[in-house]
Amino acid sequence: MSDRRHLANAIRALSMDAVQKAKSGHPGAPMGMADIAEVLWRDYLKHNPNNPHWADRDRFVLSNGHGSMLIYSLLHLSGYDLSIDDLKQFRQLHSKTPGHPEYGYTPGIETTTGPLGQGIANAIGMALAEKVLAAQFNREGHQIINHHTYAFLGDGCLMEGISHEACSLAGTLGLGKLIAFYDDNGISIDGEVEGWFTDDTAKRFESYNWHVIRDVDGHDAGAISDAIEQAQANQDQPTLIICKTVIGFGSPNKQGKESCHGAPLGDDEITATREKLGWNYGPFEIPADVYQQWSAKDRGDAVEASWNKRWVAYEQEFPQLAAELKRRLNGELPTDFEQQVVDYAKRLQANPDNPATRKASLNALNEFGPKLGELLGGSADLAGSNLTLWDGAKGIDANDASGNYVYYGVREFAMSAIMNGITLHGGFKAYGATFLMFMEYARNAVRMAALMKQPAIFVYTHDSIGLGEDGPTHQPVEQLANLRLTPNLNCWRPCDAVETAVAWGAAIQSTTTPSALVFSRQGMPQQQRDEQQLQNIAKGGYVLKDCEGTPELIAIATGSEVDIAVQAAAKLTEQGHKVRVVSMPSTDVFEQQSAEYREQVLPAAVSKRIAIEAGIADYWYKYVGLNGAVVGMTTFGESAPAAELYQHFNITVENTVAQANALLG
């Protein structure tokens, strides 16, 4: 047996032992890809276990994240802070080795993977971030940003639609430092994939403008090494290395079969596998010489030290560039940015205008964009409707990546997952836009941003039946509630230009929470506010109009319905009622405020409440109570001009007044 195979067998042994101890997991993929991983991680991957966040490290993504014991074994053997006891706690509560790789749980994990196809899309985002950052900051003789992104993926990733979207764009953008390894083992959970997956994957990726290396023996270290060097030599195209492997390699009775895909091998089969592999050690036992050959600590320290020397030279020759790059890599905003947001909101309040909030969003980008080199935006083929193409936007293409704007094409899901990869890479504030309705195509990537605590900014326009004639296929109804119900996601639906500016400021300043900025197609009248109300917008909900003394009724609204609430309150006041209007641009942020503040805005003693929003009505009963009233949607929309639709669905001042009077008795 070769020494390399012996080192790869350490991965196989740890993987089958951990899955067996947990009585749950996927041993087949780690055992099948162990030889590929050994060559990549020991000979080519540029990383430092002593500093997992070193800026110029190569990124590694296990897109087929169900095979998580592969990456846990690699991290442990290489010297990351992941002990053998951590491996023994595989899939257990609060362990550093959850069932799928989770960003933030384990040092060296670059992204959460498991929802198949999203890992390769994240990797594409990382490779894009590297290319753009290098184009913006590298100078002749100073390749300060220069690393690869490697991804492992399987049949499941390639069958998921997102891989078609994302990989197509990667080829168009010429991401030459992206190298993906396809684990072509012919097996998925249901058995041999030839019954449901007969794509010519090589031709597919060649049509995407990828460099494809076919028929590599995934158990031959020399063939794997040759393929990696061919891939690294091509700086103009991303590379797909198609590796022929045997799932569960080494298992006498289960290798090559679906029985080793998603279930433990069993004690007897593990014993037989140890014998076949010549691995004469007990469970979780790794000999000292294997650890010594696997450790990347000294090599990692050396490669980072070399980069640090280059950084000093770069900093001396280009001090301003170096300071800006350092600021961005550290995720720091310009020191006066928070005040800039406040000042801009004050200027808008002093100079009223009534634009659609999508136009107000563009104005905010034009205000903040010149001050923020880290903004990396885009739209899913709707820039003219989403209004994300601000004055300083410069498109990125295969030949010039120095810009700050990505034309994503009609790829909402890929765009959102790529944004997550950009954000995870560091150095950027990523935003991307589509219609609110088509958030549904990207839903799982939005959820992953929230799960990973990545502050991507999802811009959604055409936010309600107010988009009009395009009809119910394009009119969102339940989407706002969907976003608001997602943990760790701040959804903003501003009512005018001032609230829009504050929402953008909050999204840009967020560090651990993604934001959904939801904007209107139609114009919005600007509301009057004093200075205290201006300050309170950032709290997510605030008293916009008040009465003397204790209110009899509270009207709560967002977005285009805030003005309906204000007009209805004026009519109710004329009738002699005491009414408070609360603008609630972000329920998520409002709920993060102190109990005292929330009580000030929505005093518990005022039980008569009405909510007005052109979205699904059910969401609002948490604020108005079961005996309150909601003026909203209970069905899908219709095709007609916006004004007619508001009348048809009774989202009007008149209906609000009538519903309020019914509550008031």
Side-chain angles (χ1 to χ4, degrees), residues 57-129:
R57 69 192 181 279
D58 288 341
R59 271 57 169 183
F60 175 80
V61 174
L62 184 69
S63 188
N64 44 346
H66 54 272
S68 56
M69 270 311 302
L70 173 62
I71 194 166
Y72 296 149
S73 300
L74 289 164
L75 293 169
H76 169 72
L77 293 167
S78 297
Y80 285 79
D81 182 18
L82 193 68
S83 69
I84 198 72
D85 287 333
D86 291 323
L87 300 192
K88 291 178 181 178
Q89 291 300 304
F90 178 56
R91 289 186 164 226
Q92 304 309 301
L93 184 64
H94 303 314
S95 77
K96 293 165 73 174
T97 50
H100 290 83
E102 301 279 356
Y103 179 81
Y105 285 59
T106 315
I109 297 296
E110 300 285 3
T111 181
T112 298
T113 55
L116 293 175
Q118 286 201 64
I120 183 61
N122 293 165
I124 288 165
M126 294 173 189
L128 176 59

Side-chain angles (χ1 to χ4, degrees), residues 435 462 467-475 521 638-641 645:
F435 289 175
H462 296 62
L467 73 86
E469 292 85 346
D470 278 338
T473 61
H474 283 52
Q475 292 167 4
R521 180 192 184 194
E638 294 284 353
S639 180
L645 290 170

Side-chain angles (χ1 to χ4, degrees), residues 293-345:
Q293 292 180 76
W294 262 107
S295 177
K297 286 185 172 184
D298 291 344
R299 186 171 73 250
D301 279 342
V303 73
E304 183 177 353
S306 174
W307 183 83
N308 287 337
K309 289 180 181 178
R310 298 200 307 276
W311 172 264
V312 170
Y314 178 76
E315 196 171 30
Q316 289 174 346
E317 189 165 348
F318 304 103
Q320 290 182 326
L321 272 178
E324 174 70 0
L325 177 56
K326 185 176 181 180
R327 177 187 73 77
R328 286 171 53 175
L329 290 174
N330 288 338
E332 300 168 353
L333 291 170
T335 53
D336 62 343
F337 182 75
E338 186 174 358
Q339 188 60 47
Q340 289 179 25
V341 176
V342 172
D343 292 344
Y344 180 52

Side-chain angles (χ1 to χ4, degrees), residues 44 179 181 211 213-214 216 221-233 239-243:
Y44 294 97
I179 300 174
F181 298 79
H211 173 209
I213 303 174
R214 303 171 180 240
V216 174
I224 297 162
S225 182
D226 288 346
I228 293 171
E229 294 193 7
Q230 289 180 53
Q232 289 183 342
T239 297
L240 180 70
I241 301 174
I242 301 178
C243 300

